[in-house]
Amino acid sequence: MLLVRASVLFLPRLNRTHIRSALPLYHKSFLTCASMAESSGTLPSLVGPSWLSDRLEQKDVKILDGSWYLPAAGRDAKAEFRQGRIPGAHYFDMNGISDHSTDLPHMLPSDAQFAAAMDALDIHNSSTVVVYDGAGIFSAPRVFWTFKAFGHAQVTVLNGGMPAWKAAGLPVDSRQIAEDVLGRGLAAAQHPPSQSSYTAHLQKHMMRDWKQVLDNVESRQETVVDARAADRFQGKAPEPREGMRSGHIPGSLNVPFGQLLQDGRYKSPDELREAFAAAGVDIHQPITASCGSGVTACILALGLDQLQASKVAVYDGSWSEWGSRQDLPVQQA
């Protein structure tokens, strides 16, 4: 039914003798992809624990904990970072380093805000950035996409995140960290200077706004793929945010993000390909990923990256925006 309604303390790196080698905790197909990428001189978009442990002492490698959780998870990302982190990691506050001129959650910041945060986190345009999160794979792909959206080429995600790092027996830094250091990136983004050493330029082709998505409802030039659970996509379950309509963007397809993951890691490329194909998604055509608030859409985007899908954008406002506007069409299964 179609309803149309009007309206770091920058932590010293541990000595290599404290780090023992460990096999990557991801499917061997990813090892092949990573090896192929490195042999061609490019950085793979997913790496394993051993890949990162071998590079902990490299000054140009910057590690970010990009953990963020839904309220229902009952987890505190900052508290967990205080308790333990990968040696040398800084905290990337996804909610804080965002556009606060809107009531939509964690929308992309401005060029100036992002650049200021990078300076505060000691990240340069040439840095190799490795992002992880405490769930394995949840919010790290959103941080990955944010870096890509501002033109940072050298960024990758730790497949399996902190759980995989710990399971490999690799070191965790649990030393006390000052609150002003923990919030350094956020503070800089809130009060960006007129000039920054880091240069950020938003790559507009990587994102979509509601007007572009609405135009696409008619043109169908891009396939909108929704990462939310099937019952929410179909409008059979209420949305977690008050006052938000149920359903989905007309003409969109549904690939719940959990179908791409197993034990907090991405599945093999063959399994990823099957998940998209089963939903009717042609990965060779332009795709816009959407979800509840623009986070798990990035899980789809990074999964598509594993399949070398090159025309992928993310609807930043996602259902938080679309479902709350009474002037946009909603479809229910």
Side-chain angles (χ1 to χ4, degrees):
M1 177 175 68
L2 183 65
L3 306 176
V4 183
R5 305 181 183 182
S7 76
V8 190
L9 175 73
F10 298 118
L11 300 173
R13 303 189 182 276
L14 300 188
N15 189 285
R16 289 289 299 134
T17 59
H18 297 296
I19 303 175
R20 64 182 181 84
S21 62
L23 291 174
L25 296 182
Y26 48 80
H27 193 280
K28 62 182 180 181
S29 298
F30 282 124
L31 180 60
T32 301
C33 291
S35 299
M36 289 173 62
E38 289 194 280
S39 65
S40 65
T42 61
L43 180 69
S45 55
L46 277 179
V47 297
S50 67
W51 185 99
L52 178 55
S53 71
D54 288 343
R55 293 162 175 79
L56 275 184
E57 289 187 356
Q58 294 183 10
K59 292 183 178 180
D60 63 336
V61 174
K62 308 294 182 178
I63 307 169
L64 293 178
D65 183 329
S67 298
W68 175 84
Y69 305 107
L70 292 166
R75 298 178 65 172
D76 184 329
K78 289 184 179 179
E80 292 181 10
F81 183 82
R82 293 187 198 99
Q83 293 168 3
R85 53 208 167 266
I86 293 177
H90 313 318
Y91 181 70
F92 186 93
D93 190 333
M94 189 178 72
N95 266 344
I97 304 173
S98 64
D99 180 4
H100 292 278
S101 67
T102 174
D103 57 359
L104 296 173
H106 37 254
M107 295 284 282
L108 282 175
S110 67
D111 290 356
Q113 288 175 312
F114 187 77
M118 294 305 97
D119 281 356
L121 296 173
D122 192 33
I123 293 175
H124 312 285
N125 289 93
S126 60
S127 297
T128 295
V129 178
V130 184
V131 187
Y132 71 92
D133 66 53
I137 291 292
F138 186 66
S139 55
R142 169 71 189 196
V143 179
F144 169 90
W145 176 75
T146 299
F147 271 82
K148 289 288 189 180
F150 283 105
H152 195 106
Q154 292 291 101
V155 58
T156 185
V157 169
L158 179 63
N159 198 19
M162 192 60 154
W165 183 264
K166 290 180 177 179
L170 295 167
V172 173
D173 192 332
S174 58
R175 289 173 293 178
Q176 186 174 1
I177 185 169
E179 288 301 309
D180 63 327
V181 173
L182 180 61
R184 190 168 289 176
L186 167 60
Q190 289 179 331
H191 303 285
S194 57
Q195 290 186 325
S196 298
S197 296
Y198 187 95
T199 301
H201 293 298
L202 182 62
Q203 312 295 298
K204 293 185 178 180
H205 69 278
M206 293 190 61
M207 63 175 292
R208 297 290 180 267
D209 59 26
W210 70 267
K211 293 180 181 179
Q212 293 170 306
V213 177
L214 180 60
D215 288 343
N216 189 70
V217 170
E218 296 297 330
S219 69
R220 302 294 172 94
Q221 292 183 344
E222 299 178 351
T223 302
V224 177
V225 186
D226 195 319
R228 292 177 299 155
D231 56 352
R232 289 177 62 190
F233 177 83
Q234 295 166 1
K236 296 178 180 178
E239 286 296 309
R241 295 172 182 83
E242 186 177 353
M244 194 168 297
R245 298 174 296 165
S246 297
H248 58 269
I249 297 167
S252 58
L253 302 177
N254 186 211
V255 179
F257 74 90
Q259 293 184 3
L260 306 188
L261 308 177
Q262 184 173 4
D263 300 326
R265 306 180 187 94
Y266 275 98
K267 294 180 179 179
S268 71
D270 286 343
E271 291 171 305
L272 297 180
R273 190 172 290 105
E274 290 172 5
F276 285 107
V281 179
D282 183 350
I283 65 172
H284 303 294
Q285 298 301 313
I287 293 171
T288 293
S290 182
C291 61
S293 65
V295 176
T296 59
C298 297
I299 295 178
L300 300 190
L302 183 52
L304 287 164
D305 185 79
Q306 306 312 301
L307 305 178
Q308 299 182 329
S310 59
K311 298 178 180 179
V312 181
V314 170
Y315 174 22
D316 198 14
S318 284
W319 198 253
S320 293
E321 181 175 48
W322 193 277
S324 64
R325 291 183 63 111
Q326 300 300 312
D327 59 340
L328 298 177
V330 171
Q331 185 174 358
Q332 295 178 341

